[in-house]
Amino acid sequence: MRSLPATFSLPQRLLHWSMVALLLVNLSLPQAMGGSGLDIGTYPSEALHIGIGSAVLALALLRLVRRLSRGVPAEPMGARWFFRRRARFGQWLFYALFFAMPLSGLLGFYGASETARFLHSEILRPLFWLLIAVHVSLALAHQFLWKTDMLGKILRG
């Protein structure tokens, strides 16, 4: 069994934060595709929304390959098995959404599938927001409540 890295590599951190930026744009501003989002007076075109979603899909594939080849830091010592299992489940749920969200969007748009459109906008989008909120909350809890420096590993390596 190979040993796990102590921190996230620079490519892992760049992939993470690039995807954060792209996902926040597309989740916040889906108006070009008929959805509702933040009212900033303008919104991206359909082509930009699809391009960002396609970039997320490509980066997710790179990120998954990098994760499987290099690994990620272990959960902090002392974390109960209950929390470790939930953390792993949440991480893999993110990967499922990284692929399901753009694929359902592409199928809904180019395949004219109403089911895929509904899944994309009414099921996966709110689920993504919920998972992001939980993820950010737990990252902050790790840093400030439990003092594990997990946040530091993705910020500075």
Side-chain angles (χ1 to χ4, degrees), residues 1-117:
M1 182 174 177
R2 70 183 166 148
S3 62
L4 295 174
T7 190
F8 292 97
S9 68
L10 179 60
Q12 285 173 311
R13 294 192 321 269
L14 290 173
L15 284 168
H16 177 272
W17 293 110
S18 297
M19 288 180 69
V20 166
L22 293 172
L23 286 166
L24 288 177
V25 168
N26 261 12
L27 289 170
S28 299
L29 304 171
Q31 293 92 327
M33 305 306 285
S36 61
L38 295 176
D39 183 5
I40 60 171
T42 186
Y43 54 86
S45 66
E46 288 176 346
L48 184 59
H49 187 84
I50 292 168
I52 290 172
S54 297
V56 166
L57 185 61
L59 292 176
L61 184 58
L62 288 172
R63 190 171 171 176
L64 181 61
V65 167
R66 184 74 181 167
R67 178 189 186 101
L68 294 174
S69 64
R70 182 181 193 275
V72 295
E75 291 90 3
M77 295 302 294
R80 295 191 174 147
W81 69 270
F82 175 84
F83 293 111
R84 289 193 313 267
R85 292 240 170 104
R86 296 314 167 281
R88 287 286 177 221
F89 175 76
Q91 291 163 3
W92 289 112
L93 183 55
F94 262 120
Y95 279 95
L97 288 172
F98 292 156
F99 291 98
M101 191 73 170
L103 290 174
S104 65
L106 289 170
L107 185 59
F109 186 74
Y110 290 112
S113 168
E114 287 303 317
T115 302
R117 284 183 187 185

